[in-house]
Amino acid sequence: MSVHKSDLKKITTHQLQEMKNRGEKISMLTAYDYSMAKIIDGAGIDIILVGDSASNVMAGNETTLPITLDQMIYHGSSVVKAVTRALVVIDLPFGSYQGSSGEALRSAIRIMKEAGAHAVKLEGGSEVKDSVERILMAGIPVMGHLGLTPQSIYKFGTYTVRAKEEAEATKLLEDAKLLEACGCFALVLEKIPAKLAKQVASALHIPVIGIGAGPDVDGQVLVMQDMLGINQDFKPRFLRRYADLHTAITNAVGKYITDVKSKDFPSKEEMY
Ligand code: KIV
């Protein structure tokens, strides 16, 4: 079901907070280009994340590490041009904020100025506290990201569920509180036990958005290519597919090829 155009108001971080306060769940999806962003914004999505998952689903890389700040700005500016309602959050890519808080601020400013983002997202807790604070001091809204943080894949070694052990769960809860205390407007929790996600969402006042974090959080996010069934190889337990675009596109392209080869296309009506 899409949302009525007359119901559409521009989403702000303040409105997201109000949604949490009144128990309304927040919807978030990724997008990386103008055409797709226009469709999902028109359908009424609350937040569009220009995720560094663009590295995987747009560029075909195995991890999110190779994508550059310039490439994120390119994807982000295409999305921003399409959007009239959703809040657009752009990921700070690996290597653009870990070096120092000054570097983090410079990267965040480039994303705001050159792509026109409404907010930035970065991965990590206490390790990135200085960077988060410095970016926030410049008036740039920050979304945190804890749990499975794909930019640290070579430290973790696998993409399995995080924070199953007590020590990691305790650090995650402390990091979540720290990010809220710093002034983050929202937090993404990726691939952690549902029980822990529920504990974090009820301990925090800011909205907590889950991916593979169960139902008891304030909203959900999925990668668009995964939920539309474009990417067929990725089948984690948390993913629900809402379409089978891989089959739909394959069939459409197959029909086009047949029509071209058989000279059925173009017809008299399709020429000048
Ligand atoms: O890059 C991304 O798509 C993300 C989501 C999985 C939350 O960070």
Side-chain angles (χ1 to χ4, degrees), residues 207-218:
V208 174
I209 319 278
I211 174 164
D216 297 313
V217 285
D218 308 304

Side-chain angles (χ1 to χ4, degrees), residues 159-213:
Y159 285 103
T160 53
V161 180
R162 303 301 314 171
K164 275 164 66 179
E165 305 303 327
E166 201 178 323
E168 198 181 337
T170 305
K171 168 153 169 47
L172 189 145
L173 184 56
E174 278 167 11
D175 279 342
K177 288 179 179 167
L178 178 81
L179 291 171
E180 174 171 271
C182 287
C184 285
F185 74 94
L187 174 67
V188 165
L189 291 180
E190 180 165 354
K191 230 174 169 184
I192 63 165
K195 202 169 146 204
L196 175 62
K198 180 179 181 178
Q199 203 186 340
V200 175
S202 53
L204 263 52
H205 302 290
I206 59 171
V208 174
I209 319 278
I211 174 164

Side-chain angles (χ1 to χ4, degrees), residues 28 30 32 49-54 64 91 121 123 145 150 188 190 211 221-223:
M28 171 163 153
T30 65
Y32 318 97
L49 171 66
V50 184
D52 59 358
S53 49
T64 58
D91 265 340
K121 175 165 85 56
E123 297 181 4
H145 183 154
V188 165
E190 180 165 354
I211 174 164
V221 55
L222 286 175
V223 168

Side-chain angles (χ1 to χ4, degrees), residues 73-112:
I73 289 169
Y74 165 77
H75 287 295
S77 64
S78 311
V79 167
V80 167
K81 279 179 227 153
V83 169
T84 57
R85 176 181 179 266
L87 186 92
V88 180
V89 181
I90 302 184
D91 265 340
L92 283 172
F94 177 69
S96 72
Y97 62 96
Q98 290 90 347
S100 69
S101 61
E103 181 190 35
L105 177 61
R106 278 190 294 281
S107 302
I109 287 176
R110 281 199 62 201
I111 283 190
M112 299 302 281

Side-chain angles (χ1 to χ4, degrees), residues 4 10 12 16 30 39 60 63 83 129 131 174 187 209 232:
H4 242 264
K10 235 180 172 0
T12 61
L16 296 171
T30 65
I39 295 172
T63 72
V83 169
K129 178 177 179 279
S131 297
E174 278 167 11
L187 174 67
I209 319 278
Q232 287 211 314

